[in-house]
């Protein structure tokens, strides 16, 4: 965009991310009182009865499974937790004999 400030794109991205978090927070608030664990369809029905049609539409796009907590639903809607892969540990060769000699291993 000619003449646009260089930070406009960043501001737009922040607003989109912020909207996702607001939507997540609103959905979690509307889900208070839903019996858990709940299927995706159970969550949709609860949200529709609670007046959260937008939230029900967002939940409709989630994977079809049972959700044990409201936080699980929120994380599926807008992840905020880091997803660190556990480092794979490969055993190395032994550096010496086991302590206690032959009686330890036998």
């Amino acid at each position: 965009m000619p003449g646009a400030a260089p930070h406009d794109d960043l501001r737009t991205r922040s607003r989109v991310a912020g909207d996702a978090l607001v939507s997540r927070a609103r959905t979690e608030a509307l889900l208070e009182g839903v019996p858990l664990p709940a299927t995706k369809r159970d969550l949709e029905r609860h949200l529709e009865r609670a007046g959260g049609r937008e939230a029900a539409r967002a939940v409709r796009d989630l994977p079809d499974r049972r959700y044990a907590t409201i936080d699980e639903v929120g994380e599926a809607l807008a992840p905020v937790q880091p997803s660190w892969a556990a480092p794979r540990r490969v055993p190395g060769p032994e550096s010496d004999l086991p302590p206690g000699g032959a009686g330890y291993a036998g």
Side-chain angles (χ1 to χ4, degrees):
M1 222 171 153
H7 62 282
D8 282 350
D9 186 42
L10 178 61
R11 193 176 309 152
T12 302
R13 281 183 288 165
S14 297
R15 188 169 39 248
V16 170
D19 289 348
L21 292 177
V22 168
S23 175
R24 175 187 172 156
R26 176 160 167 66
T27 301
E28 288 178 348
L30 289 167
L31 284 173
E32 288 296 325
V34 67
L36 295 167
T39 65
K40 179 173 81 168
R41 185 63 195 132
D42 295 336
L43 297 171
E44 286 178 61
R45 278 193 291 258
H46 182 86
L47 289 166
E48 287 166 358
R49 283 194 303 269
R53 289 181 193 219
E54 277 185 42
R57 276 194 296 268
V59 166
R60 204 167 292 134
D61 294 334
L62 295 181
D64 194 15
R65 66 180 187 87
R66 292 179 75 78
Y67 293 87
T69 66
I70 292 174
D71 285 336
E72 233 179 84
V73 177
E75 191 64 19
L77 286 169
V80 293
Q81 297 300 317
S83 59
W84 298 326
R88 203 170 159 188
R89 296 191 53 160
V90 179
E94 291 294 329
S95 60
D96 203 358
L97 297 173
Y104 178 81

